[in-house]
Amino acid sequence: MAPPAHWRRAKERYRLLGSKCENCGSIYFPPTKVCPKCRRRGKIVQTEFSGRGKVFSYTIIHAAPKTFEKYTPYILALIELEEGPKVMSQIVDCKPEEVKIGMEVEACFRKLFEQDDDGIISYGFKFRPIDDSWRK
Amino acid sequence: MFKKRDVAIISAAATKCGEQWDKSIKDLAWEAGVKAVEEAGISGKDIEYLVVGNMSGGMFVGQEHIGALVADFLGLNPIPSLRVEGACASGGIAFFQGYLAVASGLYDIVAVGGVEKMTDVEQEQATTALSGAMDFEWEAYFGATFPGIYALMAKRYMHEYGLKRESLAKVSVKNHYHGSMNPLAHFRNKITVDEALNAPMVADPLGKYDCCPISDGAALVILAPLEIAKKYTDTPIIVKSSVMASDTLSLLRRRDICTLDATVNAAEKAFKLAHLERSQVDVIEVHDCFTIAEILAIEDLGFAKKGEGWKLYEEGETYVGGRLPVNTDGGLKASGHPVGATGIKQIVELVKQLRGEAEKGRQVDNAEVGLAHNVGGSGATAVVTILSRG
Amino acid sequence: MKVGIVGYGAYVPKYRIRVEEIARVWGQDAESVKSGLDVIEKSVPSLDEDAATLAVEAAKNALKRAKNVRASDIGAVYVGSESHPYAVKPTAVTVAEALGITPHLTAADLEFACKAATAGIQACMGLVRAGYIRYGMSIGSDTAQSAPGDALEYTASAGAAAYIIGGENLIAEIEGTYSYTQDVPDFWRRECAPYPRHGGRFTGEPAYFEHVIKSSKGLMETLGTKPSDYNYVVFHMPNGKFPLRAAKVLGFTIEQVSPGLVVEKIGNTYSGSSLLGLAAILDIAKAGERILLTSYGSGAGSDSFSIIVTDLIEERRGLAPPVKYFVERKEYVDYAVYARNRCLYRR
């Protein structure tokens, strides 16, 4: 994959950004240029998600393409963000047997992959189980 | 406003599916093409329009311009020839396009084919090529694999409807059983539920036997207006309807990840246009890229309620001889999944069944109506075609 | 004009490996290693963590504590590390992008072994005081490398600490800074070498102690302060023994140095080390209390800071997890998983 393609969506990957239609209030992920509900009447602006959500579904990936091979087995999940939209991401800091549908998670910043030993390193969001125990 | 014509299939042919080292993409297309042309008793010169389904000649064999390639190699120049792509639904879309061409009255004899040459590249490159069926930016980029996407559907389905892995295994066992009697199938071995459950995991809960293979293969059918079909064959197969529908590219934007709305929409319209009921269907070929996909297909096509499709497998109802035979050629799992060809391969199987020409043991008794269901990606594209014996 | 800390944040990866486990593999005596280093286990990054990801996590926590500071108010980002993911392409820009600080800022990566980030703090102080920026951020972050079987393997760990420096909204004022720097080859790593090399006992007196002590003394002389004016002292922590010895030589008590000694259970987080120690103090210090911080970077140099906590600390420290949380939330791995995570098999 080429540098421009990595760079084009880096902001959204780093900060978990989506879109909001100021006309109807709908929130979207991935970012969109069109509000499917309002179409021409819609006014799309950037929105940043809190990062908190719940596991909607998950799987453990054992067979992965070369890019992700060294990370197997890893947990791939559909996370339902508290704002509504779903994202596809990995769950980290968690054993495969500990993942449950409905588990509360929060976004964190991790490496997605490296392109060869001398290629670009791609970063983005993953999710980890929420631990609020420090908030006493 | 023109009146649409009735369309018939006058011949249908397919190559074997599997690892065919000595055959190139051209060889595969040629083999299916020649068989179909000979069966219809026509000459290549009679074909007026060619549509070819192919997902990724580029990434598998460095070849694009597949429409031109097949027309050239089959000696069909200068007719219009195009390649259509809808990931794993490329074949079904090709059929849909060919059907439109004849139904519109603009073309009479139309050839519709599908071809995919997948085994030249290493597994890893093939997986990368197939991941183009997903949303690359927001799914593949984050570590999603194609089996992983369907595994997410399966896990959620298990959570909502209580499905167990054994039920998924039963889908695969049935498909291998049918495939064992199909000389064109990629896999001819029968398997057991235990073997399926203990196979290596690919993406939990899908193991090796829940996932269709990577195959080389081609298929081609020839369409003609029904009013002249009897000139070419004693058993024309009528295309009652062929409908294509779309849905979000990525799984994360779906309304319900346990339902392929594209299938539901295409099926609804297909049955309406065909003026037929589900109960009238005798045999179906569904898109079982993964075992869970077959169960969802049964439900989304309207043959079972959501959450209950798996129950048909408990009592063997989907076997040949059962209430609703599904994937009598072995499905994608056993008969193979040469991506662009699969949608046409399904049609070829239905034509065999409706003509009573399938091998003993897997021929459905007195099959009159058949339905083919071809899906692209995780459900972004679906094509439903209903055929009946002429 | 006052200048000081507006926000601080920490991050340590979840995984740990015990001294016993490393000693087991190399056939060494765990008890004597532990008592020699005063370290019992160290942090291990996940395979998908590196100095950039750790820096982002720490920086986010710092921004949370900086409460009214918007990302766009930050005018400088410096990341100090010995394990920058790229040799050329700064970690700082990834941090800036991830926090939404881009594009109106200056940024650079710094390297000075374990003290690069404190040099970054000094740079921010200068830019703030001179009126060029409103706030600046310096982050010390490392996934430190150590050769398998080398003594450093017991302590070279992973962690990050981030500091937002400004002239207003201070939770701690920096009343002075002093540095002591010379060319000393005590510990180094050539660009293509996967692991550092060091001079054994040479890393002690002429390196660590020379600079830590001279820098701390220089600061106190400049400000006219003495050890008893401080409630806490934090030194760079290559192990649990060196800071205690430095404290003793300088005349600090065990009570002043112990609260910041985070190394025992997370190891030496290199560029994050002294700054994580400072964060641990800020997690508990009361308004008006004074802290002496002296970092040390091999090569060699030390940066010292005299810090007074303000009353804003109470309402801000609870906005992000304390160092204690990171030290205590852990899961152990064995040497095989450690080797896999650190890609030891590749070199």
Coordinates of all heavy atoms in Angstrom, one line a residue, chain C residues 1-7 66 68-69 73 128 133-135 164-172 312 316:
Chain C
M1 N 8.4 36.0 34.5 CA 7.1 35.3 34.1 C 7.2 33.8 34.7 O 8.3 33.2 34.5 CB 7.0 35.2 32.6 CG 5.9 34.4 32.1 SD 6.1 34.0 30.3 CE 4.8 32.9 30.1
K2 N 6.2 33.4 35.3 CA 6.2 32.0 35.8 C 6.1 31.0 34.7 O 5.5 31.3 33.6 CB 5.0 31.8 36.8 CG 5.2 32.4 38.1 CD 4.2 31.9 39.1 CE 4.5 32.7 40.4 NZ 3.6 32.4 41.5
V3 N 6.7 29.9 34.9 CA 6.6 28.8 33.9 C 6.5 27.5 34.6 O 7.1 27.4 35.7 CB 7.8 28.9 32.9 CG1 9.1 28.4 33.5 CG2 7.5 28.1 31.6
G4 N 5.8 26.5 34.1 CA 5.7 25.3 34.9 C 4.9 24.2 34.2 O 4.6 24.3 33.0
I5 N 4.4 23.3 35.0 CA 3.7 22.1 34.5 C 2.2 22.4 34.5 O 1.7 22.8 35.5 CB 4.0 20.9 35.3 CG1 5.5 20.6 35.2 CG2 3.2 19.7 34.8 CD1 6.0 19.6 36.3
V6 N 1.6 22.3 33.3 CA 0.2 22.5 33.2 C -0.6 21.2 33.2 O -1.8 21.1 33.6 CB -0.1 23.3 31.9 CG1 -1.6 23.5 31.7 CG2 0.6 24.6 31.9
G7 N 0.0 20.2 32.8 CA -0.6 18.8 32.8 C 0.5 17.8 32.7 O 1.6 18.0 32.2
A66 N -4.6 18.8 31.8 CA -4.4 20.2 31.5 C -5.7 20.9 31.4 O -5.8 22.1 31.1 CB -3.5 20.3 30.3
N68 N -8.2 22.9 30.8 CA -8.7 23.9 29.9 C -7.8 24.2 28.7 O -8.1 25.1 27.9 CB -8.9 25.2 30.6 CG -10.0 25.1 31.7 OD1 -11.0 24.5 31.5 ND2 -9.7 25.5 32.9
V69 N -6.8 23.4 28.5 CA -5.9 23.6 27.4 C -6.5 22.8 26.2 O -6.7 21.6 26.3 CB -4.5 23.1 27.7 CG1 -3.6 23.1 26.5 CG2 -3.9 23.9 28.8
D73 N -4.0 24.8 21.3 CA -3.2 25.8 22.0 C -1.7 25.4 22.2 O -0.9 26.2 22.6 CB -3.8 26.0 23.4 CG -5.2 26.6 23.4 OD1 -5.5 27.3 22.4 OD2 -5.9 26.4 24.3
V128 N 8.1 29.1 25.8 CA 6.9 29.7 26.6 C 7.3 31.0 27.1 O 6.7 32.0 26.9 CB 6.4 28.7 27.7 CG1 5.5 29.5 28.6 CG2 5.7 27.5 27.1
I133 N 5.3 30.5 22.2 CA 4.2 29.5 22.3 C 3.5 29.7 23.6 O 4.0 30.2 24.5 CB 4.7 28.1 22.1 CG1 5.6 27.7 23.3 CG2 5.3 27.8 20.8 CD1 5.9 26.2 23.3
R134 N 2.2 29.3 23.6 CA 1.5 29.4 24.8 C 1.7 28.1 25.7 O 1.9 28.2 26.9 CB 0.0 29.5 24.5 CG -0.8 30.2 25.5 CD -2.2 30.5 25.0 NE -3.1 30.5 26.2 CZ -4.4 30.3 26.2 NH1 -5.0 30.0 25.0 NH2 -5.1 30.3 27.3
Y135 N 1.7 27.0 25.1 CA 2.0 25.7 25.8 C 2.8 24.8 24.9 O 2.8 24.9 23.7 CB 0.7 24.9 26.0 CG -0.3 25.7 26.9 CD1 -1.5 26.3 26.3 CD2 -0.2 25.8 28.3 CE1 -2.4 26.9 27.1 CE2 -1.1 26.4 29.1 CZ -2.2 27.0 28.5 OH -3.1 27.7 29.2
I164 N 3.0 18.9 29.8 CA 2.6 20.1 29.1 C 3.1 21.3 29.9 O 2.8 21.4 31.1 CB 1.1 20.2 28.9 CG1 0.6 18.9 28.1 CG2 0.7 21.5 28.2 CD1 -0.9 18.9 27.9
I165 N 3.9 22.1 29.3 CA 4.6 23.2 29.9 C 3.9 24.5 29.5 O 3.6 24.7 28.3 CB 6.1 23.3 29.5 CG1 6.7 21.9 29.8 CG2 6.8 24.4 30.2 CD1 6.7 21.5 31.3
G166 N 3.7 25.4 30.4 CA 3.1 26.7 30.0 C 3.4 27.8 31.0 O 4.1 27.5 32.0
G167 N 2.8 29.0 30.8 CA 3.0 30.1 31.7 C 1.8 30.4 32.6 O 1.8 31.3 33.4
E168 N 0.7 29.6 32.4 CA -0.6 29.9 33.1 C -1.2 28.5 33.4 O -0.8 27.5 32.8 CB -1.5 30.7 32.2 CG -1.6 30.1 30.8 CD -2.3 31.0 29.8 OE1 -3.4 31.4 30.0 OE2 -1.6 31.3 28.8
N169 N -2.2 28.5 34.3 CA -2.9 27.3 34.6 C -2.0 26.3 35.2 O -2.1 25.1 35.0 CB -3.5 26.6 33.4 CG -4.7 27.4 32.8 OD1 -5.5 27.9 33.6 ND2 -4.8 27.4 31.5
L170 N -1.0 26.7 36.0 CA 0.1 25.8 36.4 C -0.4 24.9 37.6 O -1.0 25.4 38.5 CB 1.3 26.6 36.9 CG 1.9 27.6 35.9 CD1 3.2 28.2 36.5 CD2 2.2 26.9 34.6
I171 N -0.1 23.6 37.5 CA -0.3 22.7 38.6 C 1.0 22.6 39.4 O 1.0 22.1 40.6 CB -0.9 21.4 38.3 CG1 0.0 20.6 37.2 CG2 -2.3 21.5 37.7 CD1 -0.6 19.3 36.9
A172 N 2.1 23.0 38.8 CA 3.4 23.0 39.5 C 4.3 24.0 38.8 O 4.4 24.0 37.6 CB 4.0 21.6 39.5
L312 N -3.7 24.1 42.4 CA -4.5 23.5 41.3 C -4.3 22.0 41.1 O -5.1 21.4 40.5 CB -4.1 24.2 39.9 CG -4.7 25.6 39.7 CD1 -4.3 26.1 38.3 CD2 -6.2 25.6 39.9
R316 N -6.9 18.6 39.6 CA -6.5 18.1 38.2 C -5.9 16.7 38.2 O -5.9 16.0 37.2 CB -5.5 19.1 37.6 CG -6.1 20.5 37.5 CD -6.6 20.8 36.2 NE -5.4 21.2 35.4 CZ -5.0 22.4 35.3 NH1 -5.6 23.4 35.9 NH2 -3.9 22.7 34.6

